[in-house]
Amino acid sequence: MSLSYPLQVVNLLAALLLLISFAMLSQRRVVGLITLFAWQGAALATSTAIIAWSTGQHHLYYSAALTLILKVIAMPWFFYRIVRQLDVNREVESMLNIPTTMLIGIVLVIFSFNLALPISQMAGTVMRSTLGIAMACVLLAFLMMITRRKAITQVIGFLAMENGLFFAATSATYGMPLVVELGVALDVLVGVFVLGIFFFQIRESFESLDLKHMEKLREK
């Protein structure tokens, strides 16, 4: 079976993941950010299923289904519910303005491609060309985490970073063992629900999800 067509589709989905990462950096609304996260999960699940089909790695089908259930359905629904109950669908406050953030993001993408180049040349998988994009998605998600003030946007940034790491694993090594993936998925799911309780506690104490209010505790 020729791998040229599946490889082109995966490269297209990788470009879509990178585009969504930039869109998440520039998104000002919490609901819009959650929607982009769901679309990123859908692209990740689709690329994982295509890699499973083109390479015969059948355990990746389970990974794709798990990603679809958690990242496209369960977690976005949970975040939408939190936003509705806490009424935090306002503009996302950022430590840097959008043009500066996007410029830093472009620099991180260039750095990621240069860093991944020697690793990609040594990789033996057909999807090695997407490794640079996967690393760029990780760094862009990390940039979103450190430039946003609200707790919920930082959690979404963390999950987006996990998406990039998962895409790197499926691209470079055809994924992790299924038992490991199930364990990681369970840890992430439990962590999200615990952080949901944390959101309610922050809102009850400070009437806001802006983490700058927690500096008052340190001053005391």
Side-chain angles (χ1 to χ4, degrees):
M1 179 179 61
S2 175
L3 293 177
S4 59
Y5 179 71
L7 180 60
Q8 291 176 1
V9 176
V10 172
N11 285 334
L12 180 62
L13 290 170
L16 180 61
L17 284 171
L18 185 60
L19 182 63
I20 292 174
S21 296
F22 273 107
M24 293 173 76
L25 272 180
S26 61
Q27 180 56 241
R28 294 180 178 273
R29 294 283 181 176
V30 177
V31 170
L33 190 61
I34 298 172
T35 302
L36 288 171
F37 171 73
W39 277 109
Q40 189 181 57
L44 182 61
T46 303
S47 66
T48 304
I50 293 175
I51 294 174
W53 173 70
S54 61
T55 61
Q57 303 290 328
H58 298 293
H59 72 279
L60 289 179
Y61 285 118
Y62 298 103
S63 302
L66 195 62
T67 301
L68 181 65
I69 294 171
L70 292 180
K71 304 291 183 64
V72 183
I73 301 174
M75 291 181 183
W77 172 83
F78 180 69
F79 286 131
Y80 282 134
R81 185 177 179 183
I82 288 178
V83 168
R84 184 172 61 253
Q85 292 184 356
L86 297 182
D87 190 25
V88 292
N89 186 26
R90 295 186 292 271
E91 288 194 2
V92 178
E93 296 182 11
S94 178
M95 298 180 183
L96 300 174
N97 57 49
I98 298 300
T100 302
T101 304
M102 299 296 283
L103 182 60
I104 296 175
I106 293 173
V107 173
L108 290 177
V109 170
I110 297 174
F111 171 77
S112 299
F113 276 92
N114 289 331
L115 184 64
L117 183 60
I119 304 175
S120 300
Q121 292 175 346
M122 294 186 293
T125 62
V126 296
M127 308 300 174
R128 60 182 180 271
S129 59
T130 60
L131 185 58
I133 294 180
M135 296 180 64
C137 290
V138 172
L139 292 180
L140 290 176
F142 182 72
L143 176 63
M144 185 175 69
M145 284 182 62
I146 64 178
T147 57
R148 300 300 173 91
R149 294 182 182 274
K150 294 188 181 300
I152 188 170
T153 56
Q154 293 186 355
V155 171
I156 295 175
F158 170 77
L159 293 173
M161 186 166 61
E162 195 268 336
N163 283 344
L165 291 172
F166 182 77
F167 185 61
T170 55
S171 301
T173 63
Y174 299 147
M176 300 172 287
L178 183 59
V179 175
V180 177
E181 292 179 5
L182 288 174
V184 172
L186 180 61
D187 290 341
V188 171
L189 185 61
V190 172
V192 168
F193 280 106
V194 170
L195 287 169
I197 299 174
F198 181 60
F199 294 155
F200 282 96
Q201 293 295 327
I202 294 178
R203 182 58 182 267
E204 183 178 352
S205 300
F206 301 106
E207 298 182 353
S208 173
L209 288 182
D210 195 331
L211 293 181
K212 68 180 181 181
H213 295 295
M214 297 188 71
E215 295 178 359
K216 299 176 181 177
L217 298 177
R218 185 179 60 184
E219 293 175 358
K220 293 181 180 180

